[in-house]
Amino acid sequence: MTTSTEPGPPASTGAVQVRNLRIELVRDGTDVVDGIVIDVVAGEVLGLVGESGSGKTTVGMALMGYTRPGGHVVGGDVLIDGHDVRKMALGELRRLRGGTVAYIPQDPGTALNPALRIGRQLSEMLEAHMGSTGEQERDARVREALEEVALPATDDFLKRYSHQLSGGQQQRVAIAMAFACRPHVIVCDEPTTGLDVTTQARVLQTIRELCQDHQVAALYVSHDLAVVAELADKVAVMYAGRIVERGPREVMFSQPRHPYTRRLLRAVPDLEGKRPIEGIPGHAPLPGHRPQGCFFEPRCLHAVARCRETFPEAVQYEPGHWVCCYRADDTPKDGPVLASGRGEAPASSGEVVLSAEKLDARYLRRQTLFDINLAVARNECLALVGESGSGKTTLARCISGLHHTYTGTVKLGEAALAQRARQRSAEARQRIQYIFQNPYASLNPRRTIGQTIARQLALFDPGSGRDRGARVEQCLERVALSARAADRYPDQLSGGERQRVAIARALAAEPWVLVCDEITSALDVSVQAAIVELLAELRKQTGLSILFITHNLALIRTIADRVSVMTGGRIVETGRINEVFEAPKADYTRQLLANTPTIEAALGHNGHGA
Amino acid sequence: MSKFLIRRIIFGILTLFLVSIVVFAATQALPGNAARAILGRSATPERVAALTAQLHLNQSVASQYGHWLGGVLSGNLGISAATQQSVAHLIAGRLANSAFLVLVAAIVALPLSIGLGVWMAVKRDRPADHVLSMTTLVLAALPEFVIGIVLVVLLATNVAHVFPAVSLVPPGEHAWDEPSVVVLPAATLVIAVTPYISRIMRASMVEVLESDYVTMARLKGLSNRVVIWRHAVPNAIVPAIQVSALQLAYMAGGVVVIEFVFSYPGMGAQLVDSVANRDVPVVQALTIIIAAVYVILNLLADLATILVTPRLRTAGR
Amino acid sequence: MSATTATAEPFAPAPEPVRRGRAATLARATLGQSRAKVGLVIFVLILVIVIFGPLFAPHSPTEFVAAPNSGSSSHALFGADSLGRDVWSRFLYGGRSILGLALAATIIGVGLGLVIGLSAAYLGGLVDEVLMRIADVFMAFPQIVLALLLVSAFGPKLWLIVLTVGISHAPRVARVIRGAAQQLVERDFVKAAEAVGEPRRRVIFGELLPNVTSPLMVETGLRLTYSIGLIAAISFLGLGIQPPHADWGLMINENRLSLIVQPWGVMLPVIAIALLTISTGLMTDSYARVVIGIDRGE
């Protein structure tokens, strides 16, 4: 164990060196990030992991001498190739950005300029940084850059606009742009977030190869631990604006010491289904609301009195493994984080409560669903897996009566239902409850939580008028929210809390089936795990059936009994969960399984056990 | 793209057709015998009969409308009830004068307001932005005749006497023969419309400057000038184009009051006179023309929007 | 112990312990800006003149008290107008008609526009298409031109002017409200209401309406500002309030030819109208800034 004042390696070997970086809001001096220490050398990838609001993107952009409007750097050093970014004049900064340090954005759909052709956007990069070269040379370089990312270097392609490209192509253009001027450092800001696993796998492969070929130092910012496990050499974990733990990848995944890192890993769904997932109660404190001591203390099971007093300094435990925790010596005694053991699922009866038969659906003039057949039994959880555009949400909306241009039959029990929700029986509307992806959009922002749930009770249980207040409290209790939530508006709750409210509203109708449409995809992994736990518990208690729609293959392994795999508007495979995962029959399922990144596979692949 | 444009043109024609019905319905609303109402109580029975025949008032409403619309479409706008002159002849010179006034105002106002909007957005929340945004806010709230009168007080009468307070143009001449008469009315129009367009441009620019692609352009190390004029402005200009069309069309209405303030010999002053005289054929002709200007300007704005928006330009519809 | 209680999420400390109503929060934030304060002070000042002015008028607004176009005297503070009536007294009386008519026109226009806009956005399809085409037709007339067209047909009647100004506002308000509501219609809370079978009327007025109050307030402020300008302009053209009534717009018309010898007959009402529209403009803008700030989470 050594103390935390690190001299760091000499400047010549380190491409990126950040020391004690602090960024504040200009408005009131609230700290956004503080005490950030980063070292990346050429040819190395550092994975910067954190949940939303942890400040990871802020840190990434600081490497380019950029802070978003409203924030400013107030302390610390950011050295790129030994030069301090904070001391650079505007002209030097311009040469740095794009020239020495390049950026790959999170969402190329919004980061590429909609009014400029792809060719223009690529060549202006070269103009800015290789000004003296001729036009022909630049054109050749643009084409070369496109070829490097396996895009066609044709005139036709160069003349396109970003909206004429697919998501994967857009991201490749952004990558080509980033590598065009041969930078020494690359900042990747969750570059695969919006992509399907298949596209993600290819994009990651491209980034990995380019980083190795050109010996760049990469900072890979992500919330996805599995992706980081596959890609990174070193990992730093951020929580509430601080790096709480950092170290070599193997150590970070097999012997993490910070309680947050350990809980975070337990929340990651396991594709192999060997361990249950576990959420982290509570949520991270926002800037301006951070406690005096350790920021994780309010959610930490290991906290002691000292944790409430001062934020712990980084201490080195293994070579290069630094942890900000007073209890870092004791936490490993919990046992391994990636432990095996699976909770048993409740057995479902054979009685079918919800079914769809020969469903064909259209959107405008295009057919989007083809001959869909599925059935959900009482107390069963059927997972519906597919990538974006597979038609899974359309199917869910047909079932709920929200998308009505379909033929075929949706049945509740034995009763066939009308296409439109309004024309369905009150019973059908009550027994099938739909939960939306984004809980913020599905709750009326001008109604309190109590009003929202009371309205649902009034609709489906008119007799409950007298004791409605008490009933609302009961509903909130069932999703583990306190009665105080009733007086709040949606914008006063966290994302996880809002989704609990949406679940509570659905449960208030006493449904037979919950149709959950990507209900955790907008949530952080620790919150996602907590919601999944809640659903499993509700199923056990109430005999509820669930149709769980998701793109996340690993997630369903933990919760579903059966799975239907969708692509191109068709169900290509349906089966018991273990059978589909262990012996997939459809090529598409095999491909999905192969492309889904997992921590276990990433570590095992490289010869390290978890 | 062409499909979209054809759709807009069809809607434009449909709108104009409905406009003509509204305008025509206004004539029908005249109580009692329209001809007598137009000519006034002192009119001789012969003149009433003549006008009744001329307006086809003894036929059905639909047929009256048909005759009238046919006339409008063939350029025959009827006879002024007040002067007994052909309406077309009466308003032709007036239209030219108004068009000149609006054109002068537009040439000054459009670049000025776009430039101001961009500048305010770039200097966002700095003193220059605060001062300008306050100024444009105050000016935007003022009715145009108030601006006109204040300009008269400041520049034509009580305070200084630089420009004529009344836009006298000798008969047979046009406003461009006497350019000094255009200055104050045009300045009033510029002051009336610039605040709107520049505020829209500012708001749109502020939003675009916060977009991911502008951040990306900065992170590419491009110069500030390139970021603003190549990456931001082309994406921010669409709302300004749309509101510019509305404002230009509004000028066609705004000139009514402004021409009255300055007694400028345009169609606006003519319209006020004709309304006061209840000279319905002239009012009908002028309102139809003003509405047509609005529809055409909107079409041009749609066309311009398509031209600056690749997504629309390359789309199938 | 069940898993649900184990994962209970404690609430983050709320920014304010007791949440004020949204309206109160907005009002406080709006009045926190200096431009809103200035606007409110001016507005109240003009309002006091409009309401209580006549009580302090030394003369009747129609009585002849001095030589035409005579200057300031002990008898007539701001001199006499072109007919020899007291300018100050006419000014004190002249705000009621303009403000009253403007308010009435605003209420009609905003109310009509709200219903049209919400219905078009929610019902969509043919209803939307028809309503918006009709709106297009009325928008093709500049507001003052529409007013003049109807005045030419019916003559200068007050109810007509209020109605025309109101109707000419309606399609413009409807477009804004429709735009705001269309974004809401796409939001999932509206779909959620449909999925449980809420009646259409309830969706429009229970789900959509509470979410468009901000643009509605902004529109009301804007439309009031424009109504004042329009009503004043119509009277200024001599086609609104008719002599010998005292009205600011009409006063400007009556006295503008003697501007050089008797500027007060024009300047007093011009200043009053300018201050009135500036004050409503300032307050509206302050409110709009607050709303935009809140919606962006600032």
Side-chain angles (χ1 to χ4, degrees), chain A residues 281-283 397 402 422 429 436 441-442 444-447 455 480 482 485 488-489 492-493 497 500 533-534 537, chain C residues 2-4 7-12 14 19 22 122 188-189 191-192 194-198 200 202 207 210-211:
Chain A
H283 44 72
R397 295 199 166 193
L402 289 172
R422 264 189 224 294
R429 290 198 299 256
F436 294 82
S442 70
N444 189 331
R446 295 285 189 275
R447 284 218 192 125
R455 179 64 199 152
S482 91
R488 308 220 171 196
Y489 287 86
Q492 294 174 306
L493 303 182
E497 286 163 352
R500 282 168 193 269
E533 281 181 276
L534 170 67
E537 185 62 32
Chain C
S2 75
T4 45
T7 55
E9 296 189 27
F11 281 97
R19 182 181 168 104
R22 180 180 152 89
Y122 183 62
D188 286 338
F189 69 86
K191 298 235 160 58
E194 285 170 0
V196 295
E198 288 276 17
R200 286 191 177 84
R202 256 200 102 105
E207 305 284 342
N211 285 289

Side-chain angles (χ1 to χ4, degrees), chain A residues 326-345:
Chain A
Y326 298 125
R327 305 290 314 276
D329 274 325
D330 306 323
T331 48
K333 291 172 193 158
D334 283 359
V337 281
L338 302 178
S340 303
R342 179 174 149 83
E344 83 291 12

Side-chain angles (χ1 to χ4, degrees), chain C residues 156-222:
Chain C
K157 301 199 170 54
L158 291 189
W159 63 266
L160 178 73
I161 289 166
V162 169
L163 205 62
T164 353
V165 172
I167 287 176
S168 71
H169 284 324
R172 294 167 170 88
V173 177
R175 277 207 160 188
V176 171
I177 297 297
R178 172 175 173 267
Q182 270 182 331
Q183 294 176 5
L184 295 169
V185 169
E186 294 302 310
R187 295 272 293 274
D188 286 338
F189 69 86
V190 175
K191 298 235 160 58
E194 285 170 0
V196 295
E198 288 276 17
R200 286 191 177 84
R201 193 174 32 81
R202 256 200 102 105
V203 176
I204 292 178
F205 294 105
E207 305 284 342
L208 296 180
L209 180 59
N211 285 289
V212 297
T213 48
S214 300
L216 188 67
M217 291 285 290
V218 173
E219 274 302 298
T220 307
L222 272 181

Side-chain angles (χ1 to χ4, degrees), chain A residues 123-190:
Chain A
S123 65
E124 71 179 359
M125 187 91 180
L126 298 165
E127 268 167 50
H129 298 290
M130 302 177 171
S132 57
T133 54
E135 202 166 311
Q136 279 191 335
E137 202 176 322
R138 272 205 300 272
D139 184 64
R141 184 70 199 90
V142 163
R143 286 166 201 268
E144 192 188 334
L146 284 178
E147 274 161 7
E148 279 182 349
V149 295
L151 283 173
T154 59
D155 288 352
D156 171 64
F157 192 84
L158 289 171
K159 278 195 189 130
R160 290 202 201 165
Y161 291 96
S162 67
H163 73 269
Q164 295 169 310
L165 309 180
S166 70
Q169 283 177 321
Q170 288 172 342
Q171 193 54 281
R172 275 159 196 282
V173 168
I175 294 169
M177 209 181 280
F179 281 93
C181 297
R182 296 276 173 263
H184 303 173
V185 180
I186 289 267
V187 177
C188 309
D189 188 3
E190 310 213 31

Side-chain angles (χ1 to χ4, degrees), chain A residues 6 27 90 418 507 562:
Chain A
E6 281 171 275
R27 194 176 46 196
L90 203 59
L507 293 177
R562 287 190 306 134

Side-chain angles (χ1 to χ4, degrees), chain A residues 287-307:
Chain A
H289 296 284
R290 289 169 181 162
Q292 193 194 350
C294 171
F295 297 165
F296 189 63
E297 180 272 326
R299 303 168 78 183
C300 184
L301 300 175
H302 296 275
V304 291
R306 196 178 166 203
C307 301

Side-chain angles (χ1 to χ4, degrees), chain C residues 12 20 43 87 98 129 153 161 164 174 195 197 230 237 269 271 286:
Chain C
R20 292 163 188 280
F43 186 75
V87 165
I98 196 170
E129 193 72 18
I161 289 166
T164 353
L230 275 167
L237 295 177
I271 292 170
S286 310

